[in-house]
Amino acid sequence: MAGEYRFSFGPWNIHEGADPFGPTVRRGLTFARKLKLYKKLGFDGVQFHDDDAVPDMNKLSPREIAAKAKEVRKMLRDEGLTAEFVAPRLWEDPRTIDGAYTSNDPEARQYAKDRSRRAIDIAVALNTKLIVLWLAREGTYIREAKDSKVAVDRLVEAINDMLEYNAGIKIAIEPKPNEPMDQAYIPTTGHALALGYLTKDPKRVGVNIETAHVILAGLDPSDEMGFALAYDKLYTVHLNDQNGLKFDEDKSFGSVNLRRAFNQVRILDRYDYGRKGEFVGLDVKAMRTQKQDVATKHLTNSRTIFLRLVELAGSLDESCVEQLTAERDYEELDMLIINYLMGT
Ligand code: XLS
Ligand code: MG
């Protein structure tokens, strides 16, 4: 199904290059300028944090938030774009310094629930049913600071609140094992799906699998995707790449390990990912050294690499793979794949 994929990214993927050790190195673009780039770069879907759509939303009433979000919907329509999902940004408020849904402070937990409801209102206004939950601060810096059993109860309670608030939405949990926390409560696909089955409506809870997060958990991204596909729970993906166990790098898809990227594409393509309208989502960042006018190449490169790998996955001689697998000649199979990726 090469060529039939629809791609998405979030406005945070065009960024100014600030990191924890240095300031911005590129000029910021307004949201409207970024939107104008989507189609030119080959993208149809926009991923949103709630406040990407409605900045300073904590200062606005629910009605004002919905009205602002409707203006954004019109901007999308004018550009021929679709909103893919909305994710509540729960990790920047002073109240959620030690967690949102799992905070020990009941006021913080209430704030997190209220904010999540507003994110749903924004999703409704933007005409999408998908909510992504990256559970950034739901974890600990110090093991004794929270009760891990209670944390799961609280996550379930918060997700139930969202499912009840709107019977049409679906929630994709985005697992990540660490960063910003030392240990996160929902580190893998298995944890996310198991959490979904504790909620009131497991049919509406799935996952967003991010390549780099899986690598940080020491697992294989294509295997995590296969796991979610077996449960019919792969609601979206955040493709990127990651060079070893360090901070979340969000490198261009396939730029570190082409074979690992090939295997992700192979499993997605084999099981018709995208057929039910799922986007091929990216979560990639340009290198800090990249100059202003060429700071979107990480997006086009990732898309191009994905599409080339779709072609490669489609033309791989599967009978050869089957035969070598049956003979258990994995050394030869290894060489077959490597030769194939090298174009020899
Ligand atoms: C951070 C996450 C974040 C989510 C969206 O590590 O990848 O970018 O995808 O909230
Ligand atoms: Mg992500």
Side-chain angles (χ1 to χ4, degrees):
M1 70 178 251
E4 289 176 33
Y5 287 103
R6 293 187 305 163
F7 294 84
S8 71
F9 69 87
W12 66 92
N13 290 134
I14 300 177
H15 77 124
E16 297 82 46
D19 71 13
F21 305 100
T24 59
V25 290
R26 290 182 287 264
R27 261 188 346 272
L29 300 187
T30 61
F31 177 65
R33 284 279 304 280
K34 289 182 184 178
L35 274 195
K36 294 239 172 278
L37 292 173
Y38 271 75
K39 284 278 183 188
K40 282 191 197 134
L41 299 173
F43 291 78
D44 297 306
V46 184
Q47 310 168 11
F48 285 92
H49 291 123
D50 48 9
D51 57 3
D52 292 325
V54 184
D56 291 326
M57 56 187 279
N58 284 351
K59 295 185 189 142
L60 305 175
S61 70
R63 189 194 289 245
E64 288 167 328
I65 291 172
K68 290 261 177 219
K70 285 215 180 90
E71 288 169 22
V72 177
R73 179 169 176 178
K74 179 167 182 320
M75 289 169 82
L76 292 178
R77 210 182 296 132
D78 291 347
E79 301 296 334
L81 296 169
T82 305
E84 186 199 2
F85 67 69
V86 177
R89 197 195 299 270
L90 294 168
W91 50 91
E92 286 184 0
D93 195 89
R95 281 166 286 196
T96 55
I97 188 165
D98 198 21
Y101 308 131
T102 66
S103 171
N104 291 323
D105 177 354
E107 260 178 53
R109 296 201 299 275
Q110 191 54 50
Y111 161 73
K113 281 186 198 156
D114 292 343
R115 171 87 179 218
S116 304
R117 286 178 174 222
R118 298 296 77 79
I120 293 172
D121 296 343
I122 292 172
V124 170
L126 295 180
N127 198 29
T128 176
K129 292 184 162 41
L130 190 61
I131 300 292
V132 162
L133 286 187
W134 171 46
L135 300 167
R137 297 196 189 275
E138 316 303 355
T140 54
Y141 299 113
I142 162 170
R143 183 61 50 254
E144 298 80 8
K146 286 185 190 169
D147 179 322
S148 50
K149 193 266 178 201
V150 171
V152 172
D153 297 342
R154 287 178 174 162
L155 286 169
V156 171
E157 192 186 309
I159 293 172
N160 280 343
D161 190 69
M162 297 172 77
L163 293 169
E164 274 166 20
Y165 180 64
N166 182 312
I169 55 145
K170 288 168 81 176
I171 296 176
I173 298 170
E174 182 178 333
K176 185 176 181 185
N178 60 280
E179 201 205 31
M181 307 310 285
D182 177 44
Q183 300 282 349
Y185 283 132
I186 306 298
T188 70
T189 305
H191 289 83
L193 294 189
L195 185 67
Y197 285 105
L198 285 178
T199 67
K200 289 203 167 140
D201 198 357
K203 282 195 309 301
R204 295 194 283 138
V205 186
V207 282
N208 173 16
I209 296 186
E210 172 158 329
T211 315
H213 297 181
V214 175
I215 296 164
L216 287 172
L219 300 172
D220 178 76
S222 67
D223 281 355
E224 288 283 273
M225 288 172 186
F227 190 89
L229 287 165
Y231 281 85
D232 200 14
K233 290 292 193 188
L234 191 54
Y235 293 173
T236 187
V237 290
H238 261 173
L239 300 183
N240 56 21
D241 215 344
Q242 171 75 23
N243 198 7
L245 298 182
K246 52 183 86 163
F247 62 94
D248 186 11
E249 296 188 296
D250 296 337
K251 290 170 89 71
S252 293
F253 181 58
S255 64
V256 177
N257 186 329
L258 195 61
R259 186 173 184 173
R260 195 165 55 195
F262 171 71
N263 282 312
Q264 289 168 72
V265 171
R266 187 161 176 249
I267 196 126
L268 292 173
D269 199 55
R270 172 178 285 182
Y271 294 104
D272 291 329
Y273 178 81
R275 196 186 39 193
K276 285 180 287 187
E278 304 95 330
F279 277 90
V280 176
L282 303 180
D283 197 0
V284 289
K285 298 237 165 63
M287 288 179 246
R288 191 163 188 265
T289 40
Q290 197 68 358
K291 290 187 182 159
Q292 184 82 35
D293 54 346
V294 284
T296 52
K297 286 193 175 173
H298 58 304
L299 293 160
T300 44
N301 289 351
S302 295
R303 180 180 176 279
T304 301
I305 291 167
F306 181 93
L307 288 172
R308 291 224 181 124
L309 290 176
V310 170
E311 278 170 35
L312 272 187
S315 59
L316 178 67
D317 187 346
E318 291 290 349
S319 64
C320 230
V321 174
E322 273 167 38
Q323 191 192 330
L324 292 171
T325 306
E327 289 168 9
R328 226 178 58 216
D329 189 352
Y330 295 161
E331 296 294 352
E332 195 59 37
L333 178 57
D334 206 23
M335 208 55 211
L336 178 87
I337 302 293
I338 288 170
N339 272 330
Y340 196 60
L341 291 176
M342 290 197 300
T344 51

